[in-house]
Amino acid sequence: QLQLQESGPGLVKPSGTLSLTCAVSGGSISSSDSYWGWIRLPPGKGLEWIGTVSYSGDTYYNPSLNGRVTMSVDTSKNQFSLTLYFVTAADTSVYYCSRRRRIGAGLYGIDVWGQGTTVTVSS
Amino acid sequence: AIQMTQSPSSLSASVGDRVTLTCRASQDIRSDLGWYQQKPGKAPKFLIFAASSLHGGVPSRFSGSGSGTDFTLTISSLQPEDFATYYCLQDYSYPLTFGPGTKVDIK
């Protein structure tokens, strides 16, 4: 069964760069019915979709992040990554990697989630 | 971006109660809506896709309905493990957007 595991620094300085990686196990990142993404949960707030990347590298980002985000896929390592630039305290969150799967024609669901990793932005 | 709202923001209920949560989209999203359950310190769990289709392994006490802009999630008989926060998510168009969540706690 497919599993996802986030990794990366738990502390990032303000104006710095947040970089996280998600390792995919139990399945291939190159599956044509899968889209890989990141979602975060700021403390005391609700879930926020950050963006999605396909195995072929097509990306979709949340415009609320004002162009500070990039995502990529490394098929050789079966993993994908998130980079968020110029971070502030508002970027402090639990970050989840996820799989959005095409369940049927035009039907989707985020059916697999990583356990989440806490990232704090502080000097 | 499509805005999602949920009501109520929180509710208190007892084991065995029937509870109905509401989600509204700022524009027509057909039936492109999912529901997710999240417990403190845990990753969200996928419950329902396409507004009314139960994801595999989800208990049948959960059901979803609606289309267009108005949607509901119903738990027919609340169980102890159902106390959590529930989010709706529109996947009609990018950017995907979540509702702010409804927290269900014990009365």
Side-chain angles (χ1 to χ4, degrees):
Chain A
Q1 118 194 18
L2 193 81
Q3 292 185 312
L4 305 177
Q5 179 65 59
E6 305 92 348
S7 61
L11 181 65
V12 183
K13 294 186 185 304
S15 77
T17 299
L18 180 161
S19 296
L20 297 175
T21 297
C22 184
V24 180
S25 59
S28 172
I29 202 168
S30 299
S31 175
S32 60
D33 68 350
S34 297
Y35 301 82
W36 310 97
W38 295 88
I39 290 160
R40 67 183 183 180
L41 181 69
K45 296 187 178 181
L47 297 169
E48 179 183 27
W49 177 78
I50 299 172
T52 292
V53 57
S54 73
Y55 76 96
S56 59
D58 295 329
T59 52
Y60 306 88
Y61 301 135
N62 193 328
S64 71
L65 294 170
N66 299 316
R68 298 189 294 125
V69 60
T70 62
M71 296 180 185
S72 62
V73 168
D74 187 336
T75 54
S76 67
K77 295 182 178 179
N78 219 38
Q79 64 185 33
F80 60 103
S81 64
L82 165 71
T83 304
L84 184 63
Y85 302 94
F86 308 112
V87 297
T88 70
D91 295 310
T92 294
S93 289
V94 178
Y95 286 78
Y96 297 99
C97 61
S98 62
R99 178 182 76 168
R100 181 179 184 228
R101 186 169 68 92
R102 188 178 67 247
I103 301 168
L107 304 178
Y108 296 87
I110 303 176
D111 65 339
V112 181
W113 298 71
Q115 64 183 23
T117 188
T118 299
V119 179
T120 301
V121 178
S122 175
S123 56
Chain B
I2 298 172
Q3 305 300 316
M4 306 300 293
T5 57
Q6 289 184 244
S7 60
S9 57
S10 65
L11 69 86
S12 296
S14 301
V15 172
D17 283 353
R18 179 184 180 89
V19 298
T20 298
L21 314 180
T22 297
C23 175
R24 178 166 290 175
S26 62
Q27 67 183 71
D28 187 346
I29 59 169
R30 303 182 309 192
S31 296
D32 296 337
L33 185 104
W35 287 97
Y36 297 80
Q37 175 195 67
Q38 187 172 32
K39 298 178 181 179
K42 300 293 186 182
K45 177 184 175 183
F46 181 34
L47 298 178
I48 286 173
F49 65 96
S52 60
S53 297
L54 225 55
H55 180 52
V58 175
S60 60
R61 63 181 180 273
F62 290 92
S63 64
S65 66
S67 66
T69 60
D70 294 316
F71 304 86
T72 60
L73 172 70
T74 298
I75 309 172
S76 60
S77 177
L78 202 62
Q79 298 302 299
E81 60 268 31
D82 301 336
F83 293 97
T85 299
Y86 293 84
Y87 295 94
C88 60
L89 169 70
Q90 70 81 17
D91 52 23
Y92 174 77
S93 67
Y94 289 115
L96 306 186
T97 43
F98 286 94
T102 293
K103 184 178 181 180
V104 178
D105 62 21
I106 302 172
K107 181 184 289 185

